Amino acid sequence: MVESTKKAKEFCSLDQRKSALEGELPKKDYLIDFMCQNAETLFQPKTIKKSDDWLACHEEKGQTFQGFKDSKTRNKTSKERNTIYLYIVDEMIDDDFKQMLLAYCKAFYHGMQVNLMEPKIQGDFMGRHQIPSRINQYTGMIQYDAGAILTKTIPMIPKSAYCMLTVTLQDLYPRPSWNFVFGLANLQERTGVFSFVRYDPLFQGIETPDRDKILKRNACGVMVHEIGHMFGIKHCTYYECTMNGSNSYEESTRAIRFLCPVCTKKLKLAIGFDTKERLVKLKEACEIIGFSENVEFYNNLLLQFESKQV
């Protein structure tokens, strides 16, 4: 186990990171080339900072770009299946929060359609669909079986859906032996679920004037992380990235909320977006939501790229 230190150890070697970036896209992309060529200065290598971090507790082999490209199991977009659906099942999630999730998802997955869905009958989604539940032994609060939610939502997936993500305020667990899970996705069935209840500082017993900002940042992060899995992108082990695994509120809250060059390249292959246009849209969405650190990152990245093109 790795204990918290001032200088955490890099999880992968420089050669492993370089190898992860190798492989050709169908068409030349100068911005992604720039990101890959300057990956060591623009991005931070992935490190394990504490003994309970995800990579200290879970064995991850890593997924290179070429490994993603060669995968026979990843779902591919098509004209018939080109829409990401956010299925909002809690009435407690207000319209402003819904619109924030929608705007961020549209920018992050630029090139895909993104629509909101809600139950036809308002009320207790978990109760109506008889989702198995339990009382968490540590919090004393009710939790719902995330896998059962995925199973129940499979028949609800619209024909135009590339994937459907169920959004809830209820706490989740993936199997009896686990304490909780932030989110869960089923690649083959194109379904996912995530809860942002544990991203609320108040759930953690933390009172802070930044509660709203922290909750929004974490909720958007886990949303796009789970959707990333449905594109076939596995946990990132190369750089600090929104596709890194997370084991706790603390680890998730300190996480980077943008894609590293390895995962950006994978998503480019999956969707085929204009990379510069995507970054501009993300910067604009982050400005509106108030994610200042992301705005600064996207600004600096675009400015450095433009200066190299002159």
Short mmCIF file of all heavy atoms in Angstrom, two decimals, residues 77 81-88 97-118 158 160-167 194 220 223-224 227-228 230-231 267 271 273 278 281-282 285:
data_model
loop_
_atom_site.label_atom_id
_atom_site.label_comp_id
_atom_site.label_asym_id
_atom_site.label_seq_id
_atom_site.Cartn_x
_atom_site.Cartn_y
_atom_site.Cartn_z
N THR A 77 -21.15 4.15 -32.42
CA THR A 77 -22.27 5.03 -32.75
C THR A 77 -22.75 4.75 -34.17
O THR A 77 -22.01 4.21 -35.00
CB THR A 77 -21.85 6.51 -32.64
OG1 THR A 77 -20.77 6.76 -33.56
CG2 THR A 77 -21.40 6.85 -31.24
N ARG A 81 -28.46 5.04 -33.71
CA ARG A 81 -28.17 5.12 -32.28
C ARG A 81 -27.12 6.20 -32.04
O ARG A 81 -25.91 5.93 -32.01
CB ARG A 81 -27.66 3.77 -31.76
CG ARG A 81 -28.70 2.67 -31.75
CD ARG A 81 -28.12 1.38 -31.18
NE ARG A 81 -29.13 0.34 -31.03
CZ ARG A 81 -28.88 -0.87 -30.57
NH1 ARG A 81 -27.64 -1.21 -30.23
NH2 ARG A 81 -29.84 -1.77 -30.44
N ASN A 82 -27.60 7.43 -31.90
CA ASN A 82 -26.68 8.55 -31.77
C ASN A 82 -27.04 9.51 -30.64
O ASN A 82 -26.57 10.64 -30.60
CB ASN A 82 -26.63 9.34 -33.09
CG ASN A 82 -27.96 9.99 -33.42
OD1 ASN A 82 -28.98 9.70 -32.77
ND2 ASN A 82 -27.98 10.86 -34.41
N THR A 83 -27.89 9.05 -29.70
CA THR A 83 -28.37 9.93 -28.65
C THR A 83 -28.06 9.37 -27.27
O THR A 83 -28.28 8.19 -27.00
CB THR A 83 -29.90 10.14 -28.76
OG1 THR A 83 -30.20 10.66 -30.06
CG2 THR A 83 -30.38 11.13 -27.71
N ILE A 84 -27.52 10.23 -26.41
CA ILE A 84 -27.30 9.91 -25.00
C ILE A 84 -28.53 10.40 -24.23
O ILE A 84 -28.90 11.57 -24.33
CB ILE A 84 -26.04 10.60 -24.46
CG1 ILE A 84 -24.79 10.07 -25.17
CG2 ILE A 84 -25.93 10.42 -22.94
CD1 ILE A 84 -23.53 10.87 -24.88
N TYR A 85 -29.17 9.52 -23.49
CA TYR A 85 -30.34 9.89 -22.69
C TYR A 85 -29.98 9.93 -21.21
O TYR A 85 -29.38 8.98 -20.69
CB TYR A 85 -31.49 8.89 -22.91
CG TYR A 85 -32.19 9.06 -24.24
CD1 TYR A 85 -31.74 8.36 -25.37
CD2 TYR A 85 -33.27 9.91 -24.38
CE1 TYR A 85 -32.37 8.50 -26.60
CE2 TYR A 85 -33.91 10.06 -25.60
CZ TYR A 85 -33.46 9.36 -26.71
OH TYR A 85 -34.09 9.51 -27.93
N LEU A 86 -30.35 11.04 -20.56
CA LEU A 86 -30.20 11.17 -19.12
C LEU A 86 -31.58 10.96 -18.50
O LEU A 86 -32.47 11.80 -18.68
CB LEU A 86 -29.64 12.55 -18.75
CG LEU A 86 -28.28 12.92 -19.37
CD1 LEU A 86 -27.88 14.32 -18.95
CD2 LEU A 86 -27.20 11.91 -18.98
N TYR A 87 -31.76 9.85 -17.82
CA TYR A 87 -33.05 9.48 -17.26
C TYR A 87 -33.10 9.94 -15.80
O TYR A 87 -32.53 9.31 -14.91
CB TYR A 87 -33.22 7.96 -17.37
CG TYR A 87 -34.57 7.42 -16.95
CD1 TYR A 87 -35.75 8.07 -17.29
CD2 TYR A 87 -34.66 6.22 -16.24
CE1 TYR A 87 -36.98 7.55 -16.91
CE2 TYR A 87 -35.88 5.69 -15.87
CZ TYR A 87 -37.05 6.37 -16.21
OH TYR A 87 -38.27 5.86 -15.84
N ILE A 88 -33.77 11.06 -15.55
CA ILE A 88 -33.83 11.67 -14.23
C ILE A 88 -35.01 11.07 -13.46
O ILE A 88 -36.17 11.30 -13.81
CB ILE A 88 -34.00 13.20 -14.32
CG1 ILE A 88 -33.04 13.81 -15.35
CG2 ILE A 88 -33.84 13.84 -12.95
CD1 ILE A 88 -31.60 13.74 -14.99
N PHE A 97 -30.59 22.06 -12.01
CA PHE A 97 -29.59 20.99 -11.95
C PHE A 97 -29.68 20.11 -13.20
O PHE A 97 -28.67 19.70 -13.78
CB PHE A 97 -29.79 20.15 -10.69
CG PHE A 97 -28.51 19.60 -10.12
CD1 PHE A 97 -27.92 20.17 -9.02
CD2 PHE A 97 -27.89 18.50 -10.72
CE1 PHE A 97 -26.74 19.66 -8.49
CE2 PHE A 97 -26.72 17.98 -10.20
CZ PHE A 97 -26.13 18.56 -9.09
N LYS A 98 -30.89 19.83 -13.64
CA LYS A 98 -31.09 19.02 -14.86
C LYS A 98 -30.45 19.71 -16.06
O LYS A 98 -29.76 19.07 -16.87
CB LYS A 98 -32.58 18.83 -15.13
CG LYS A 98 -33.31 17.97 -14.12
CD LYS A 98 -34.81 17.98 -14.41
CE LYS A 98 -35.61 17.31 -13.32
NZ LYS A 98 -37.07 17.42 -13.53
N GLN A 99 -30.68 21.01 -16.18
CA GLN A 99 -30.14 21.75 -17.32
C GLN A 99 -28.62 21.84 -17.26
O GLN A 99 -27.95 21.84 -18.30
CB GLN A 99 -30.76 23.15 -17.39
CG GLN A 99 -32.24 23.15 -17.73
CD GLN A 99 -32.56 22.41 -19.03
OE1 GLN A 99 -31.87 22.58 -20.05
NE2 GLN A 99 -33.59 21.58 -19.01
N MET A 100 -28.07 21.91 -16.05
CA MET A 100 -26.62 21.91 -15.91
C MET A 100 -26.03 20.59 -16.39
O MET A 100 -25.05 20.57 -17.16
CB MET A 100 -26.23 22.13 -14.45
CG MET A 100 -24.73 22.08 -14.20
SD MET A 100 -24.30 21.66 -12.50
CE MET A 100 -24.85 19.96 -12.39
N LEU A 101 -26.63 19.47 -15.96
CA LEU A 101 -26.17 18.16 -16.40
C LEU A 101 -26.27 18.03 -17.92
O LEU A 101 -25.35 17.52 -18.58
CB LEU A 101 -27.00 17.05 -15.73
CG LEU A 101 -26.87 16.91 -14.22
CD1 LEU A 101 -27.87 15.87 -13.71
CD2 LEU A 101 -25.46 16.51 -13.81
N LEU A 102 -27.36 18.49 -18.48
CA LEU A 102 -27.58 18.43 -19.93
C LEU A 102 -26.53 19.23 -20.68
O LEU A 102 -25.92 18.74 -21.64
CB LEU A 102 -28.98 18.95 -20.26
CG LEU A 102 -29.39 18.94 -21.73
CD1 LEU A 102 -29.47 17.52 -22.26
CD2 LEU A 102 -30.73 19.64 -21.91
N ALA A 103 -26.27 20.46 -20.23
CA ALA A 103 -25.32 21.35 -20.92
C ALA A 103 -23.90 20.78 -20.86
O ALA A 103 -23.17 20.80 -21.86
CB ALA A 103 -25.37 22.74 -20.30
N TYR A 104 -23.51 20.28 -19.69
CA TYR A 104 -22.15 19.75 -19.56
C TYR A 104 -21.97 18.48 -20.39
O TYR A 104 -20.95 18.29 -21.04
CB TYR A 104 -21.85 19.46 -18.09
CG TYR A 104 -20.40 19.14 -17.83
CD1 TYR A 104 -19.43 20.14 -17.81
CD2 TYR A 104 -19.97 17.82 -17.62
CE1 TYR A 104 -18.09 19.85 -17.59
CE2 TYR A 104 -18.64 17.52 -17.40
CZ TYR A 104 -17.71 18.54 -17.38
OH TYR A 104 -16.37 18.25 -17.16
N CYS A 105 -22.99 17.62 -20.38
CA CYS A 105 -22.91 16.38 -21.15
C CYS A 105 -22.83 16.66 -22.65
O CYS A 105 -22.07 16.02 -23.37
CB CYS A 105 -24.12 15.50 -20.82
SG CYS A 105 -23.97 13.79 -21.42
N LYS A 106 -23.62 17.63 -23.11
CA LYS A 106 -23.59 18.00 -24.53
C LYS A 106 -22.21 18.49 -24.95
O LYS A 106 -21.73 18.16 -26.04
CB LYS A 106 -24.63 19.10 -24.81
CG LYS A 106 -26.05 18.60 -24.97
CD LYS A 106 -26.97 19.76 -25.34
CE LYS A 106 -28.39 19.26 -25.62
NZ LYS A 106 -29.29 20.38 -25.98
N ALA A 107 -21.57 19.28 -24.09
CA ALA A 107 -20.26 19.80 -24.42
C ALA A 107 -19.19 18.71 -24.35
O ALA A 107 -18.33 18.60 -25.24
CB ALA A 107 -19.90 20.96 -23.48
N PHE A 108 -19.25 17.90 -23.31
CA PHE A 108 -18.24 16.86 -23.12
C PHE A 108 -18.31 15.82 -24.24
O PHE A 108 -17.27 15.39 -24.76
CB PHE A 108 -18.46 16.18 -21.77
CG PHE A 108 -17.27 15.41 -21.27
CD1 PHE A 108 -16.36 15.99 -20.43
CD2 PHE A 108 -17.08 14.08 -21.65
CE1 PHE A 108 -15.25 15.28 -19.96
CE2 PHE A 108 -15.99 13.36 -21.19
CZ PHE A 108 -15.07 13.96 -20.35
N TYR A 109 -19.53 15.43 -24.61
CA TYR A 109 -19.72 14.45 -25.69
C TYR A 109 -20.18 15.17 -26.96
O TYR A 109 -21.15 14.77 -27.60
CB TYR A 109 -20.68 13.35 -25.24
CG TYR A 109 -20.03 12.47 -24.20
CD1 TYR A 109 -20.37 12.57 -22.85
CD2 TYR A 109 -19.03 11.57 -24.55
CE1 TYR A 109 -19.73 11.80 -21.89
CE2 TYR A 109 -18.39 10.79 -23.59
CZ TYR A 109 -18.75 10.91 -22.27
OH TYR A 109 -18.11 10.15 -21.32
N HIS A 110 -19.45 16.21 -27.29
CA HIS A 110 -19.74 17.03 -28.46
C HIS A 110 -19.80 16.16 -29.72
O HIS A 110 -18.92 15.34 -29.97
CB HIS A 110 -18.65 18.09 -28.63
CG HIS A 110 -18.84 19.00 -29.79
ND1 HIS A 110 -19.94 19.82 -29.91
CD2 HIS A 110 -18.09 19.20 -30.90
CE1 HIS A 110 -19.84 20.51 -31.03
NE2 HIS A 110 -18.74 20.14 -31.65
N GLY A 111 -20.88 16.33 -30.47
CA GLY A 111 -21.10 15.51 -31.66
C GLY A 111 -22.20 14.49 -31.46
O GLY A 111 -22.71 13.93 -32.43
N MET A 112 -22.58 14.26 -30.19
CA MET A 112 -23.69 13.36 -29.87
C MET A 112 -24.93 14.19 -29.52
O MET A 112 -24.82 15.30 -28.99
CB MET A 112 -23.35 12.47 -28.68
CG MET A 112 -22.18 11.54 -28.89
SD MET A 112 -22.50 10.19 -30.04
CE MET A 112 -23.64 9.18 -29.08
N GLN A 113 -26.10 13.66 -29.79
CA GLN A 113 -27.33 14.24 -29.27
C GLN A 113 -27.45 13.86 -27.80
O GLN A 113 -27.10 12.75 -27.41
CB GLN A 113 -28.54 13.71 -30.03
CG GLN A 113 -28.58 14.08 -31.52
CD GLN A 113 -28.85 15.56 -31.70
OE1 GLN A 113 -29.64 16.15 -31.01
NE2 GLN A 113 -28.16 16.16 -32.67
N VAL A 114 -27.93 14.78 -26.97
CA VAL A 114 -28.15 14.48 -25.55
C VAL A 114 -29.55 14.95 -25.18
O VAL A 114 -29.89 16.12 -25.37
CB VAL A 114 -27.11 15.17 -24.64
CG1 VAL A 114 -27.34 14.75 -23.18
CG2 VAL A 114 -25.69 14.82 -25.08
N ASN A 115 -30.38 14.04 -24.66
CA ASN A 115 -31.76 14.36 -24.27
C ASN A 115 -32.03 13.97 -22.83
O ASN A 115 -31.44 13.02 -22.31
CB ASN A 115 -32.76 13.63 -25.17
CG ASN A 115 -32.73 14.12 -26.61
OD1 ASN A 115 -32.25 15.20 -26.91
ND2 ASN A 115 -33.23 13.30 -27.52
N LEU A 116 -32.94 14.71 -22.20
CA LEU A 116 -33.42 14.36 -20.87
C LEU A 116 -34.63 13.45 -20.98
O LEU A 116 -35.46 13.61 -21.87
CB LEU A 116 -33.80 15.61 -20.08
CG LEU A 116 -32.67 16.57 -19.68
CD1 LEU A 116 -33.26 17.78 -18.96
CD2 LEU A 116 -31.64 15.89 -18.80
N MET A 117 -34.73 12.49 -20.06
CA MET A 117 -35.91 11.63 -19.94
C MET A 117 -36.36 11.65 -18.48
O MET A 117 -35.54 11.82 -17.58
CB MET A 117 -35.57 10.17 -20.29
CG MET A 117 -35.55 9.84 -21.76
SD MET A 117 -35.13 8.07 -21.98
CE MET A 117 -36.50 7.26 -21.16
N GLU A 118 -37.66 11.48 -18.28
CA GLU A 118 -38.20 11.38 -16.93
C GLU A 118 -39.29 10.31 -16.92
O GLU A 118 -39.89 10.01 -17.95
CB GLU A 118 -38.75 12.72 -16.46
CG GLU A 118 -37.69 13.79 -16.32
CD GLU A 118 -38.22 15.10 -15.76
OE1 GLU A 118 -38.47 15.16 -14.55
OE2 GLU A 118 -38.37 16.06 -16.55
N PRO A 158 -34.77 4.00 -25.40
CA PRO A 158 -35.33 4.39 -26.69
C PRO A 158 -34.53 3.80 -27.85
O PRO A 158 -33.33 3.51 -27.71
CB PRO A 158 -35.20 5.92 -26.68
CG PRO A 158 -35.12 6.29 -25.24
CD PRO A 158 -34.36 5.17 -24.59
N SER A 160 -33.46 5.20 -30.43
CA SER A 160 -32.41 6.10 -30.90
C SER A 160 -31.26 6.22 -29.93
O SER A 160 -30.29 6.95 -30.17
CB SER A 160 -33.00 7.49 -31.15
OG SER A 160 -33.54 8.02 -29.94
N ALA A 161 -31.32 5.50 -28.80
CA ALA A 161 -30.32 5.66 -27.74
C ALA A 161 -29.01 4.97 -28.07
O ALA A 161 -28.98 3.78 -28.40
CB ALA A 161 -30.86 5.13 -26.42
N TYR A 162 -27.93 5.73 -27.98
CA TYR A 162 -26.62 5.10 -27.93
C TYR A 162 -26.45 4.50 -26.55
O TYR A 162 -25.93 3.40 -26.38
CB TYR A 162 -25.51 6.12 -28.20
CG TYR A 162 -24.14 5.52 -27.99
CD1 TYR A 162 -23.59 4.67 -28.95
CD2 TYR A 162 -23.42 5.76 -26.83
CE1 TYR A 162 -22.35 4.07 -28.74
CE2 TYR A 162 -22.19 5.15 -26.62
CZ TYR A 162 -21.66 4.32 -27.58
OH TYR A 162 -20.44 3.71 -27.37
N CYS A 163 -26.93 5.25 -25.55
CA CYS A 163 -26.92 4.76 -24.18
C CYS A 163 -27.91 5.57 -23.35
O CYS A 163 -28.37 6.63 -23.77
CB CYS A 163 -25.52 4.85 -23.56
SG CYS A 163 -24.89 6.54 -23.42
N MET A 164 -28.26 5.04 -22.18
CA MET A 164 -29.18 5.73 -21.27
C MET A 164 -28.60 5.67 -19.86
O MET A 164 -28.27 4.58 -19.37
CB MET A 164 -30.56 5.09 -21.30
CG MET A 164 -31.60 5.85 -20.48
SD MET A 164 -33.27 5.13 -20.64
CE MET A 164 -33.18 3.83 -19.41
N LEU A 165 -28.48 6.82 -19.23
CA LEU A 165 -27.92 6.90 -17.89
C LEU A 165 -29.00 7.34 -16.91
O LEU A 165 -29.58 8.41 -17.05
CB LEU A 165 -26.77 7.91 -17.86
CG LEU A 165 -25.94 7.95 -16.58
CD1 LEU A 165 -25.09 6.69 -16.47
CD2 LEU A 165 -25.03 9.17 -16.56
N THR A 166 -29.28 6.50 -15.92
CA THR A 166 -30.25 6.84 -14.89
C THR A 166 -29.58 7.70 -13.82
O THR A 166 -28.49 7.36 -13.34
CB THR A 166 -30.81 5.56 -14.24
OG1 THR A 166 -31.43 4.76 -15.26
CG2 THR A 166 -31.84 5.89 -13.17
N VAL A 167 -30.22 8.80 -13.48
CA VAL A 167 -29.67 9.76 -12.52
C VAL A 167 -30.54 9.77 -11.28
O VAL A 167 -31.75 9.96 -11.36
CB VAL A 167 -29.60 11.17 -13.13
CG1 VAL A 167 -28.99 12.15 -12.15
CG2 VAL A 167 -28.79 11.15 -14.43
N PHE A 194 -26.06 6.55 -11.96
CA PHE A 194 -25.16 7.19 -11.00
C PHE A 194 -25.97 7.99 -10.00
O PHE A 194 -27.07 8.47 -10.27
CB PHE A 194 -24.11 8.05 -11.70
CG PHE A 194 -24.47 9.49 -11.92
CD1 PHE A 194 -24.07 10.46 -11.02
CD2 PHE A 194 -25.18 9.88 -13.05
CE1 PHE A 194 -24.39 11.79 -11.22
CE2 PHE A 194 -25.49 11.21 -13.26
CZ PHE A 194 -25.09 12.18 -12.35
N CYS A 220 -21.21 16.25 -12.31
CA CYS A 220 -20.87 16.27 -13.74
C CYS A 220 -19.75 15.28 -14.03
O CYS A 220 -19.76 14.59 -15.05
CB CYS A 220 -20.45 17.68 -14.16
SG CYS A 220 -21.82 18.84 -14.33
N MET A 223 -21.02 11.65 -13.97
CA MET A 223 -21.92 11.45 -15.11
C MET A 223 -21.12 11.12 -16.37
O MET A 223 -21.37 10.10 -17.04
CB MET A 223 -22.78 12.69 -15.33
CG MET A 223 -23.58 12.66 -16.63
SD MET A 223 -24.54 14.18 -16.90
CE MET A 223 -23.22 15.39 -17.13
N VAL A 224 -20.16 11.97 -16.72
CA VAL A 224 -19.42 11.75 -17.96
C VAL A 224 -18.47 10.55 -17.82
O VAL A 224 -18.16 9.88 -18.82
CB VAL A 224 -18.66 13.01 -18.41
CG1 VAL A 224 -19.65 14.13 -18.74
CG2 VAL A 224 -17.65 13.49 -17.38
N ILE A 227 -20.66 7.46 -18.56
CA ILE A 227 -20.95 7.42 -19.99
C ILE A 227 -19.71 7.00 -20.77
O ILE A 227 -19.79 6.25 -21.76
CB ILE A 227 -21.49 8.78 -20.49
CG1 ILE A 227 -22.85 9.07 -19.84
CG2 ILE A 227 -21.62 8.80 -22.01
CD1 ILE A 227 -23.38 10.46 -20.10
N GLY A 228 -18.54 7.47 -20.32
CA GLY A 228 -17.28 7.07 -20.96
C GLY A 228 -17.11 5.56 -20.98
O GLY A 228 -16.66 4.98 -21.97
N MET A 230 -19.46 3.45 -21.19
CA MET A 230 -20.37 2.89 -22.19
C MET A 230 -19.82 3.03 -23.60
O MET A 230 -20.24 2.32 -24.51
CB MET A 230 -21.75 3.52 -22.04
CG MET A 230 -22.50 2.95 -20.84
SD MET A 230 -24.21 3.50 -20.71
CE MET A 230 -24.00 4.89 -19.63
N PHE A 231 -18.87 3.93 -23.78
CA PHE A 231 -18.16 4.01 -25.06
C PHE A 231 -17.05 2.97 -25.13
O PHE A 231 -16.39 2.84 -26.16
CB PHE A 231 -17.57 5.41 -25.25
CG PHE A 231 -18.56 6.41 -25.79
CD1 PHE A 231 -19.28 7.22 -24.95
CD2 PHE A 231 -18.76 6.55 -27.16
CE1 PHE A 231 -20.19 8.14 -25.43
CE2 PHE A 231 -19.66 7.47 -27.66
CZ PHE A 231 -20.38 8.26 -26.80
N LEU A 267 -11.98 8.90 -27.40
CA LEU A 267 -13.30 9.48 -27.62
C LEU A 267 -13.41 10.08 -29.02
O LEU A 267 -14.48 10.02 -29.65
CB LEU A 267 -13.58 10.55 -26.56
CG LEU A 267 -15.04 10.99 -26.43
CD1 LEU A 267 -15.94 9.81 -26.07
CD2 LEU A 267 -15.19 12.11 -25.40
N ILE A 271 -16.44 9.09 -31.54
CA ILE A 271 -17.47 10.05 -31.97
C ILE A 271 -17.11 10.77 -33.26
O ILE A 271 -17.97 11.04 -34.09
CB ILE A 271 -17.72 11.09 -30.84
CG1 ILE A 271 -18.25 10.40 -29.59
CG2 ILE A 271 -18.71 12.16 -31.31
CD1 ILE A 271 -18.47 11.33 -28.41
N PHE A 273 -15.60 13.90 -33.40
CA PHE A 273 -15.88 15.33 -33.26
C PHE A 273 -14.73 16.19 -33.78
O PHE A 273 -13.63 15.72 -34.02
CB PHE A 273 -16.15 15.67 -31.79
CG PHE A 273 -15.15 15.09 -30.82
CD1 PHE A 273 -13.81 15.48 -30.83
CD2 PHE A 273 -15.55 14.14 -29.89
CE1 PHE A 273 -12.90 14.94 -29.93
CE2 PHE A 273 -14.65 13.60 -28.99
CZ PHE A 273 -13.31 14.00 -29.01
N ARG A 278 -14.89 21.05 -29.75
CA ARG A 278 -15.28 20.42 -28.49
C ARG A 278 -14.69 21.16 -27.29
O ARG A 278 -15.39 21.42 -26.30
CB ARG A 278 -14.83 18.96 -28.46
CG ARG A 278 -15.09 18.27 -27.12
CD ARG A 278 -14.60 16.83 -27.11
NE ARG A 278 -14.82 16.23 -25.79
CZ ARG A 278 -13.91 16.23 -24.81
NH1 ARG A 278 -12.72 16.80 -25.02
NH2 ARG A 278 -14.18 15.69 -23.64
N LYS A 281 -16.50 24.46 -26.76
CA LYS A 281 -17.82 24.23 -26.16
C LYS A 281 -17.69 23.88 -24.67
O LYS A 281 -18.50 24.32 -23.83
CB LYS A 281 -18.54 23.10 -26.90
CG LYS A 281 -18.94 23.42 -28.33
CD LYS A 281 -20.01 24.49 -28.39
CE LYS A 281 -20.48 24.73 -29.82
NZ LYS A 281 -21.49 25.81 -29.90
N LEU A 282 -16.70 23.08 -24.34
CA LEU A 282 -16.47 22.72 -22.94
C LEU A 282 -16.09 23.94 -22.11
O LEU A 282 -16.57 24.12 -20.99
CB LEU A 282 -15.37 21.66 -22.85
CG LEU A 282 -15.83 20.20 -22.81
CD1 LEU A 282 -14.64 19.26 -22.97
CD2 LEU A 282 -16.57 19.88 -21.53
N ALA A 285 -19.24 25.96 -21.54
CA ALA A 285 -20.12 25.32 -20.56
C ALA A 285 -19.57 25.48 -19.15
O ALA A 285 -20.31 25.77 -18.20
CB ALA A 285 -20.31 23.85 -20.90
#
